[in-house]
Amino acid sequence: MKKIIMGIQVGNRFEDVEKVQNLLTEYGCFIKTRLGLHQQAEFKEICTEKGLIILEMVRDSDEKSMELKEKLNEINEVVAKTMEF
């Protein structure tokens, strides 16, 4: 059994949030842990439009993880990559 960790970089989290969230909800049964981060503008008090999401997928979800990654990569300004252990 391999462990899959997925990193998702959202280039414009204000515009792409609905599409990304809908996919994460659709594949929610295959996500064990979700961590969302946003980038803070250096020396400013505002958030940038970029965001990073880290997912730990449940074991034996190889096929569903790859489906999710492919669908996320179809969204403009979203890049999804996986690591396997």
Side-chain angles (χ1 to χ4, degrees), residues 6 11 35 40 43 48 53 57 85:
M6 185 179 302
L35 175 63
Q40 182 68 28
F43 305 112
T48 67
I53 301 168
M57 308 303 289
F85 297 92

Side-chain angles (χ1 to χ4, degrees), residues 8-22:
I8 306 163
Q9 180 175 311
V10 181
N12 190 331
R13 63 190 182 97
F14 302 114
E15 289 184 18
D16 298 325
V17 66
E18 186 175 351
K19 294 174 190 172
V20 172
Q21 182 58 47
N22 286 342

Side-chain angles (χ1 to χ4, degrees), residues 49-74:
E49 67 274 356
K50 293 185 178 184
L52 178 65
I53 301 168
I54 300 170
L55 304 177
E56 174 190 12
M57 308 303 289
V58 298
R59 294 201 185 271
D60 299 324
S61 64
D62 301 6
E63 185 177 318
K64 292 296 183 181
S65 296
M66 294 308 114
E67 282 179 24
L68 174 58
K69 181 175 86 168
E70 289 172 9
K71 288 181 180 183
L72 286 166
N73 282 321
E74 291 175 1

